[in-house]
Amino acid sequence: MILNSATVREYYAILNPNSKKMVLGVLLSAIGSGMTMSFLLVYLHDLRGFTNTFGGLLLSFGAVVALTVGGPVGTLIDHIGPKRVLIFGIVGSAVGTCGWAFVQTHREAFIVMAVQSIGQAFVWPPMNVMLTRLTPPENRQKIFGLNFMLLNLGIGLGGLFASSIITEGSLRTFQIMYLADSFSFILFLCVVLLIRTPQVGKYIPEAHEPKGGSYKDVWQNKRIVLLSIAGLVLCTFGYSGLQAGLPIYATQYLDLSPKWLGIMYGVNTISIVLFQPAVLRRLNKEYKYKALVAVGVIWSLSWGVVGISPLLPLFAAGLMICFSQLVFAVGEMIWSPTMPALANELSPEHIRGRTNALISLQWGVAGVLGPAITGPMLGAGLESTWIFTMLFGALLPLPILMKLKKLAVK
């Protein structure tokens, strides 16, 4: 079933006043993010004169920064509660995003990337903890699916808006987009400040529960560790490769206009908005580990579609890139509800913050590895080899996920 009024009512029924505010804030900030997320490397190369190699290095630097602070984020969540951590992250993200509008030198680019990366590292783990605590266990996969759907609705709206106002070679239009993105985080902050419940504060353990925890407790949970490793590989050859390489591949190798980027990501996000309900209904009947195996296969297929695009005329190549994002979206619709729901299912409350931080660290590590693989290969003109590397890499975590499945049934 695609998105319709009955589905909207079904999703609305699982929300309470506080979770409504959370998903509204996510939607508002996503609209801003959708305006800029696919344009950073193009903006730095075409408008600021930075090389693609520097752009890849910059993305890797940002991922290293996020990776460095990722561990303390989990500890802070468990010590002071997710809401306070999220507020800090939103403010940092707003400041960092605003900074991109005024970057002129390599030094300034590194500073802005550091601020933005720290902010983003403080957003996702506490947000997932808040959604988990505000939702009963039986509805958590649905709430993560709904959150992801609204995230993509916002990104899609932002991307389509950006594609309508972006002017190739116009610095002013890019600056307007980054300032609008920054303002969307301020709106998110205002909504989060309205969430007032002990559930988003520091967790108070019951008498029979551990009074504290550490990352040692997380590392001793074999299934959480294996899940994070599998997620790391999938992110590296899925999301990270997509964000670090596909905009360059499309605009510089295929010679497509930057406007195609907005359309391409618009296809991706609109597909998610329309078909996420149908995928969630299917996921209710499937084993979570089996679902994650399907993600690797689907993302590998999406890279295969990208690999066909150079063989076609320019307009057809653009359509093929858009189709690859529809295929990729199917994997996303499985991944995004399943991964956080499974991680929180495996985690006790006293280390929930640390568990979500560990799962989020896969984005940081993948953010280092993805650009490190993509930047040099595209810079050396190895576009076909890069596509094959992404295609094969998306299949690498399948043995780990099969092992997790066996551990779960013991």
Side-chain angles (χ1 to χ4, degrees):
M1 179 186 295
I2 65 172
L3 185 66
N4 55 32
S5 59
T7 308
V8 171
R9 288 194 296 270
E10 179 183 340
Y11 278 129
Y12 192 80
I14 70 172
L15 296 172
N16 57 56
N18 288 309
S19 58
K20 287 176 186 175
K21 294 170 187 174
M22 272 296 299
V23 297
L24 172 62
V26 169
L27 173 61
L28 292 173
S29 67
I31 292 173
S33 299
M35 295 178 63
T36 62
M37 67 178 298
S38 62
F39 289 104
L40 181 59
L41 293 183
V42 175
Y43 166 67
L44 294 177
H45 180 273
D46 293 355
L47 279 302
R48 296 303 187 182
F50 299 148
T51 65
N52 289 332
T53 301
F54 175 76
L57 175 64
L58 191 64
L59 291 179
S60 295
F61 169 75
V64 169
V65 172
L67 189 61
T68 302
V69 301
V73 169
T75 303
L76 278 173
I77 294 171
D78 289 332
H79 277 286
I80 68 174
K83 179 180 176 179
R84 292 180 180 179
V85 177
L86 179 59
I87 289 171
F88 178 85
I90 293 172
V91 172
S93 297
V95 173
T97 303
C98 178
W100 288 120
F102 307 103
V103 162
Q104 296 186 28
T105 67
H106 290 78
R107 179 174 177 271
E108 290 171 353
F110 277 118
I111 293 172
V112 171
M113 177 59 79
V115 174
Q116 185 183 48
S117 298
I118 292 172
Q120 290 177 343
F122 275 74
V123 167
W124 290 101
M127 187 173 70
N128 283 345
V129 172
M130 288 175 69
L131 284 172
T132 299
R133 290 185 181 176
L134 293 171
T135 309
E138 64 272 16
N139 288 330
R140 284 175 184 168
Q141 193 167 35
K142 283 187 178 180
I143 194 69
F144 284 117
L146 173 62
N147 188 60
F148 183 63
M149 188 173 70
L150 291 176
L151 174 72
N152 280 275
L153 174 60
I155 290 173
L157 292 173
L160 291 174
F161 180 65
S163 67
S164 68
I165 68 167
I166 194 80
T167 301
E168 191 171 0
S170 171
L171 176 63
R172 180 182 176 84
T173 56
F174 279 92
Q175 289 177 314
I176 290 173
M177 288 196 305
Y178 282 109
L179 293 174
D181 188 5
S182 179
F183 180 70
S184 73
F185 280 106
I186 302 302
L187 296 178
F188 188 14
L189 176 62
C190 293
V191 174
V192 169
L193 291 173
L194 296 175
I195 301 175
R196 299 185 178 95
T197 170
Q199 291 175 294
V200 298
K202 180 181 178 181
Y203 178 71
I204 306 300
E206 302 289 341
H208 64 280
E209 293 178 322
K211 302 303 179 185
S214 68
Y215 274 105
K216 181 179 179 181
D217 300 314
V218 180
W219 290 115
Q220 288 177 340
N221 190 318
K222 187 175 182 180
R223 285 195 285 172
I224 291 177
V225 173
L226 288 176
L227 182 66
S228 65
I229 293 172
L232 164 63
V233 180
L234 278 173
C235 283
T236 299
F237 296 100
Y239 281 109
S240 186
L242 191 73
Q243 294 172 359
L246 198 57
I248 295 174
Y249 182 86
T251 59
Q252 297 180 32
Y253 180 63
L254 298 180
D255 203 28
L256 294 170
S257 164
K259 289 182 179 291
W260 275 99
L261 300 181
I263 298 170
M264 174 181 73
Y265 288 115
V267 169
N268 175 276
T269 53
I270 291 171
S271 299
I272 291 169
V273 172
L274 290 177
F275 299 111
Q276 181 71 81
V279 173
L280 275 174
R281 288 179 183 275
R282 177 71 183 183
L283 286 175
N284 288 333
K285 303 175 184 178
E286 295 292 345
Y287 204 46
K288 290 185 177 69
Y289 299 104
K290 181 181 177 181
L292 291 177
V293 168
V295 173
V297 175
I298 292 167
W299 284 356
S300 180
L301 288 174
S302 75
W303 285 115
V305 175
V306 173
I308 296 172
S309 60
L311 306 177
L312 304 173
L314 186 62
F315 184 76
L319 293 178
M320 188 60 67
I321 290 291
C322 291
F323 179 66
S324 77
Q325 294 315 288
L326 189 153
V327 177
F328 192 86
V330 177
E332 290 181 275
M333 287 183 275
I334 300 171
W335 163 274
S336 292
T338 304
M339 174 61 79
L342 183 56
N344 282 284
E345 179 182 305
L346 296 175
S347 176
E349 189 62 58
H350 71 288
I351 57 169
R352 192 176 300 283
R354 292 175 173 88
T355 298
N356 280 275
L358 177 63
I359 295 299
S360 293
L361 280 176
Q362 65 194 15
W363 297 95
V365 178
V368 175
L369 297 176
I373 296 169
T374 296
M377 292 184 78
L378 294 183
L382 301 174
E383 290 84 3
S384 297
T385 305
W386 173 69
I387 294 293
F388 178 78
T389 302
M390 297 295 110
L391 185 154
F392 177 74
L395 300 174
L396 290 178
L398 268 57
I400 301 175
L401 293 169
M402 295 303 295
K403 183 175 182 179
L404 267 171
K405 182 180 178 181
K406 291 180 181 178
L407 288 174
V409 299
K410 286 184 179 180

